[in-house]
């Protein structure tokens, strides 16, 4: 089998991680890297990868079956549209774009040209998340009542040396919460309305450091997300799922997600399933069963999925339209906090 020929645009933090995943995959290879910086050129030199000064040069050279776009959010629209114009399917890192209008433009262009776009909401490719979605979909929890998500962690002080991270828009709502919004939409259902309260009192910066978010789902379930980037806790998916090597994995199992229904509940990432085997009553003993799962890197599974999208015409697990809905809900959380109002979601 000939490896999938990939052009990588952006050789920063996540771009290099993609390059490592590709190098170890055995079914894909990087044929060129576009990054205009000297650091990008040197990286290519060290790794023996052909370097291009821009995505235009990379696409013009031809020979790529897929693009991975791992550049700052503001450039996703332009580079995504260029890939589509060249008929090259792309994996665009999350968020799909900066605004809903931009996401919709990408989605429309992809549909019109028949060129698929996969968006890098990598958690959807985690076998734990896939299993949770399957169990909820099969009704293993009965009718969903509520879910509690803890996304609390501590960002080191130097993180805030970059000015944009101290200003509104650079905080944990747009940078981090978007992962939870996508996970909830994927596992529990579509969001119907949002409310939120934010605080920046601990760090005292213009950007929020903490938020309490309430999501009403179309199926009636209520979801709360407790978010903070200034709290010393292990209770965040990044720290407890073992997805990325740069976050040390907890030795003791710790859960961050609790999904409840009328017939049972599920804790993640342990996949502990709680239910009554006999009488359903808070006075009866409740059964705990850990559902076995084979752990696998969501990034390698995402790459395999990209292969299947390109070579076998499989529909992207999350396309530009779907990712735009995730972006829309995330932006609505920020607006709801600013306006101190409950905002209903309208999806076109
Ligand atoms: N899915 C995930 O787990 C995950 C994790 C981190 C970041 N991200 C997303 O990945 C994207 C990149 O984030 P990062 O942390 O790697 O940023 P980064 O700043 O570390 O890297 C961005 C790279 O893109 C290059 N670049 C900028 N403009 C370019 C252009 N027009 N053409 C080619 N290269 C260009 C920069 O020189 C830099 O090397 C963002 O959208 C971010 O939200 C996703």
């Amino acid at each position: 089998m000939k490896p999938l020929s990939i052009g990588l645009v952006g050789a920063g933090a996540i771009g290099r991680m993609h390059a490592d995943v590709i190098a170890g995959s055995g079914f894909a290879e990087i044929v060129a890297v576009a990054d205009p910086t000297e650091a990008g050129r040197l990286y290519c030199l060290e790794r023996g990868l052909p370097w291009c000064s821009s995505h235009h040069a990379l696409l013009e050279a031809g020979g790529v079956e897929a693009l991975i776009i791992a550049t700052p959010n503001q450039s996703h629209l332009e580079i995504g549209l260029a890939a589509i114009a060249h008929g090259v399917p792309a994996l665009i890192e999350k968020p799909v774009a900066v605004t809903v209008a931009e996401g919709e433009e990408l989605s429309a262009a992809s549909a019109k040209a028949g060129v698929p776009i996969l968006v890098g909401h990598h958690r959807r490719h985690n076998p734990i998340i896939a299993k949770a979605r399957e169990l909820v979909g099969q009704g293993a929890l009965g009718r969903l009542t509520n879910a509690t998500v803890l996304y609390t962690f501590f960002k080191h002080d130097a993180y805030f040396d970059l000015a944009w991270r101290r200003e509104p828009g650079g905080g944990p709502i747009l940078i981090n919460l978007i992962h939870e919004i996508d996970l909830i939409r994927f596992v529990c259902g579509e969001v119907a309305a949002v409310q939120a309260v934010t605080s920046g009192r601990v760090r005292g910066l213009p950007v929020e450091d903490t938020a309490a978010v309430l999501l009403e789902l179309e199926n009636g379930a209520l979801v709360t997300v407790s978010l903070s980037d200034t709290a010393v806790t292990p209770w965040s998916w990044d720290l407890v799922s073992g997805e990325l090597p740069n976050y040390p994995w907890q030795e003791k199992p710790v859960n961050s997600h609790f999904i409840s229904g009328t017939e049972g509940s599920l804790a993640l990432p342990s996949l502990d399933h709680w239910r009554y085997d006999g009488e359903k009553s808070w006075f009866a003993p409740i059964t705990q069963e850990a559902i076995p799962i084979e752990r696998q890197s969501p990034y390698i599974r995402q790459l395999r999925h990209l292969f299947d999208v390109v070579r076998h015409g499989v529909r992207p697990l999350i396309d530009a339209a779907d990712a735009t809905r995730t972006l829309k809900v995330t932006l609505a959380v920020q607006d709801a906090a600013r306006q101190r109002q409950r905002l209903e979601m309208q999806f076109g």
Side-chain angles (χ1 to χ4, degrees):
M1 178 187 60
K2 191 178 161 300
L4 187 72
S5 308
I6 294 180
L8 175 64
V9 187
I14 200 76
R16 291 176 190 210
M17 200 272 316
H18 281 299
D20 290 343
V21 171
I22 291 166
S25 71
F27 59 83
E29 65 183 5
I30 292 186
V31 293
V33 178
D35 191 311
T37 62
E38 181 61 7
R41 196 185 66 79
L42 288 175
Y43 168 77
C44 289
L45 206 59
E46 275 165 27
R47 299 288 295 259
L49 294 166
W51 174 79
C52 301
S53 59
S54 73
H55 65 279
H56 298 294
L58 192 158
L59 286 165
E60 291 299 333
V64 290
E65 293 176 273
L67 218 58
I68 293 185
I69 302 172
T71 54
N73 305 347
Q74 296 75 1
S75 59
H76 290 183
L77 175 68
E78 187 200 336
I79 303 174
L81 289 178
I84 292 168
H86 279 82
V88 176
L91 163 61
I92 302 182
E93 264 306 343
K94 54 55 61 178
V96 58
V98 177
T99 64
V100 170
E102 283 188 9
E104 286 171 351
E105 189 177 341
L106 263 173
S107 168
S110 161
K112 189 166 176 215
V115 177
I117 295 291
L118 171 68
V119 181
H121 283 287
H122 65 277
R123 287 190 191 179
R124 290 197 184 200
H125 303 273
N126 191 313
I128 299 168
I129 303 291
K131 190 68 185 174
R133 176 179 155 91
E134 184 189 315
L135 289 165
V136 170
Q138 286 168 347
L141 308 189
R143 183 178 169 181
L144 282 193
T145 53
N146 54 315
T148 302
V149 175
L150 301 175
Y151 202 14
T152 50
F153 47 89
F154 191 86
K155 284 179 180 163
H156 53 295
D157 293 343
Y159 180 91
F160 297 93
D161 288 349
L162 290 179
W164 68 269
R165 290 175 171 164
R166 302 193 293 267
E167 299 300 326
I173 291 184
L174 291 190
I175 306 287
N176 307 102
L177 181 72
I178 191 163
H179 288 293
E180 297 302 352
I181 301 285
D182 193 63
L183 187 155
I184 290 156
R185 292 187 57 244
F186 187 59
V187 174
C188 300
E190 190 54 274
V191 177
V194 308
Q195 296 175 65
V197 179
T198 58
S199 164
R201 229 175 284 169
V202 175
R203 290 195 193 273
L205 298 174
V207 69
E208 80 279 352
D209 54 49
T210 303
V213 180
L214 171 60
L215 308 172
E216 294 167 51
L217 304 191
E218 284 179 356
N219 59 23
L222 301 179
V223 179
T224 52
V225 185
S226 189
L227 174 74
S228 181
D229 67 8
T230 188
V232 175
T233 90
W235 304 315
S236 86
W237 184 258
D238 301 330
L239 300 187
V240 300
S241 66
E243 277 183 355
L244 270 174
N246 49 347
Y247 299 109
W249 193 15
Q250 312 304 312
E251 293 213 357
K252 287 186 188 156
V254 178
N255 285 315
S256 53
H257 291 63
F258 305 86
I259 306 168
S260 319
T262 54
E263 299 299 326
S265 52
L266 204 55
L268 306 178
S270 68
L271 272 172
D272 278 325
H273 181 201
W274 297 83
R275 62 174 188 276
Y276 290 115
D277 283 335
E279 186 198 3
K280 234 171 75 178
S281 157
W282 64 350
F283 293 120
I286 192 163
T287 306
Q288 176 190 11
E289 179 199 9
I291 293 169
I293 194 89
E294 198 183 321
R295 284 178 177 272
Q296 242 190 328
S297 158
Y299 294 101
I300 186 78
R301 284 171 56 104
Q302 178 177 255
L303 182 65
R304 183 77 220 185
H305 179 62
L306 179 65
F307 182 101
D308 290 338
V309 167
V310 176
R311 289 274 178 92
H312 304 305
V314 168
R315 239 180 115 199
L317 187 58
I318 173 157
D319 61 14
D322 201 359
T324 301
R325 288 193 282 275
T326 288
L327 175 65
K328 191 169 190 170
V329 176
T330 311
L331 293 170
V333 167
Q334 201 176 45
D335 289 345
R338 204 179 293 135
Q339 297 171 26
R340 297 185 172 270
Q341 277 191 7
R342 172 181 178 274
L343 298 183
E344 290 188 6
M345 299 307 307
Q346 319 259 315
F347 297 112

